[in-house]
Amino acid sequence: MIQDVLREPAKAAIFLVADVRPGSEASVRDLLADLAGLTRAVGFRAPGDQLSCVVGIGASLWSRLYRAPAPRDLHPFRGLSGARHTAPATHGDLLFHLRARRLDLCFELERQLMRRLAGHVRVLDEVQGFKYFDERDLLGFVDGTENPAGAAARAALAIGDQDPAYAGGSYVIVQKYLHDLDAWQALPVAEQERVIGRSKLSDIELTDQAVNSHVAVNTIVDPDGTERQIVRENMAFGSPGAAEFGTYFIGYAGTPEVIERMLRRMFVGEPAGNHDRILDFSTAVTGSLFFVPAADFLENPLDNSTSDGSLGIGSLKRSSR
Ligand code: HEM
């Protein structure tokens, strides 16, 4: 069963990226097995506020936690350099993606997670995100409209036949972007709309799309006409006192290749040079990739233990590739 990725858009989120200290693998594995229970314990007191938590595991951590072969497409995030813009790769063993209708629920769950993880992890990045008015980001545009829903979302998310041992899993890429809001706000609204590819007030897609608009660059259609989709749950974050304004990008997909292609189109351009104009106002400062195991994999890692109690390949033995 897939982790709690598919949700109504949340109002609040916390994104936590951490490294696991050497020797702390068993404690982290135990915490991951208890994650669904902890989330239930915190969330049950506020039914209707939809607390959820998804965990992702980075390439550098996998073989330290589990003896099962690594998921086929798990690798470190590949940074990108275009003629004008760069997507840096930054390290991370674990990603926790907490969401709810209220920040206090995310905060309390993060507190409980950190109680268990104290001494075992080093937090590399911690961002509290929010939705700005009616589902907008800090550029002022409605963000998330074209997310697939229902069966299309499940199809976009799920690892399929290409890696049957990990069916029910997914991949996630996160990037933290900082906006130059002064430069953005100096643009007339009609020009901002050409950058994004949708109207600002009504959120309707423009019919005369510029080739380097964010929407045009991120619409990927295979030669057979199939659109390749991802599931996004971006959040605004910031600190006006420090003049920091950002968007935390998070995208899930059954293969990282779809998101990587979008990123190549954004940063390098297809053809090269046709970079996404959103980058002229937004700088990526982090970038990491994680595997999102199925919930039952996390809860039963010992199904794969060897007789000495250590973790082995067991039922997760991969079919030949
Ligand atoms: C600065 C960071 C970003 C901001 C502020 C942002 C904002 C937006 C907005 C406002 C839309 C239009 C409404 C919607 O359909 O959601 C959009 C669409 C989209 N974005 Fe982003 N985005 C960001 C980064 C990214 C990244 C890094 C990717 C992929 C790697 C991405 C992929 C997409 C896709 C696939 C769509 C839908 C395109 C369509 O089918 O119409 N975005 N984004």
Side-chain angles (χ1 to χ4, degrees):
M1 191 182 48
I2 195 147
Q3 287 187 59
D4 232 347
V5 176
L6 283 180
R7 286 263 155 175
E8 293 293 302
K11 291 289 171 212
I14 292 179
F15 303 93
L16 187 71
V17 176
D19 268 355
V20 174
R21 295 192 190 281
S24 289
E25 291 78 7
S27 306
V28 167
R29 201 166 48 228
D30 288 350
L31 178 272
L32 298 187
D34 292 347
L35 188 60
L38 271 178
T39 307
R40 262 194 311 279
V42 175
F44 192 74
R45 288 181 281 155
D49 286 326
Q50 302 203 346
L51 177 66
S52 66
C53 180
V54 174
V55 67
I57 298 173
S60 49
L61 183 63
W62 183 267
S63 60
R64 293 171 54 200
L65 284 192
Y66 305 112
R67 286 247 198 106
R72 200 185 76 155
D73 296 326
L74 180 59
H75 54 260
F77 180 79
R78 297 169 180 144
L80 287 162
S81 281
R84 294 266 299 276
H85 300 293
T86 300
T90 50
H91 196 257
D93 284 339
L94 285 172
L95 166 75
F96 292 97
H97 178 201
L98 292 78
R99 277 178 285 180
R101 291 208 170 132
R102 296 160 30 188
L103 183 60
D104 61 342
L105 284 178
C106 302
F107 183 89
E108 173 61 9
L109 179 55
E110 185 191 8
R111 196 173 72 84
Q112 297 294 343
L113 291 178
M114 288 312 299
R115 279 185 59 195
R116 290 275 301 268
L117 291 172
H120 297 301
V121 299
R122 189 167 63 98
V123 173
L124 302 174
D125 193 30
E126 183 184 20
V127 171
Q128 293 188 349
F130 56 91
K131 272 283 154 71
Y132 194 50
F133 295 98
D134 31 31
E135 305 297 325
R136 292 174 194 270
D137 53 41
L138 288 181
L139 299 179
F141 280 73
V142 177
D143 194 344
T145 315
E146 290 299 334
N147 251 339
R154 284 191 290 278
L157 271 184
I159 290 176
D161 297 344
Q162 79 275 20
D163 199 4
Y166 290 106
S170 189
Y171 291 89
V172 62
I173 286 183
V174 291
Q175 282 182 304
K176 189 172 163 181
Y177 285 88
L178 296 177
H179 300 305
D180 180 348
L181 270 201
D182 289 340
W184 178 251
Q185 279 159 358
L187 277 192
V189 168
E191 195 52 30
Q192 293 181 356
E193 292 177 333
R194 273 191 284 278
V195 172
I196 300 295
R198 302 185 76 92
S199 80
K200 193 169 186 180
L201 183 63
S202 65
D203 187 34
I204 304 295
E205 189 168 336
L206 304 189
T207 46
D208 54 341
Q209 203 65 239
V211 289
N212 55 1
S213 77
H214 185 61
V215 162
V217 167
N218 283 294
T219 303
I220 295 187
V221 183
D222 281 345
D224 68 358
T226 316
E227 186 170 349
R228 304 298 299 277
Q229 291 187 298
I230 65 173
V231 174
R232 294 166 288 132
E233 182 69 6
N234 294 357
M235 283 280 164
F237 68 90
S239 170
E244 183 188 78
F245 304 98
T247 295
Y248 201 95
F249 165 79
I250 181 159
Y252 291 90
T255 157
E257 177 206 302
V258 183
I259 311 175
E260 288 168 341
R261 169 119 191 257
M262 289 174 178
L263 288 172
R264 237 180 0 263
R265 285 169 60 90
M266 284 180 72
F267 283 84
V268 179
E270 273 180 13
N274 185 54
H275 74 259
D276 188 328
R277 277 193 71 203
I278 209 172
L279 298 179
D280 296 338
F281 308 91
S282 316
T283 304
V285 294
T286 68
S288 323
L289 183 157
F290 304 88
F291 172 64
V292 178
D296 27 2
F297 177 91
L298 291 175
E299 284 176 25
N300 304 301
L302 292 176
D303 282 357
N304 307 299
S305 65
T306 54
S307 53
D308 65 357
S310 61
L311 292 178
I313 293 175
S315 61
L316 274 170
K317 193 170 284 172
R318 174 185 307 290
S319 55
S320 58
R321 289 185 198 152

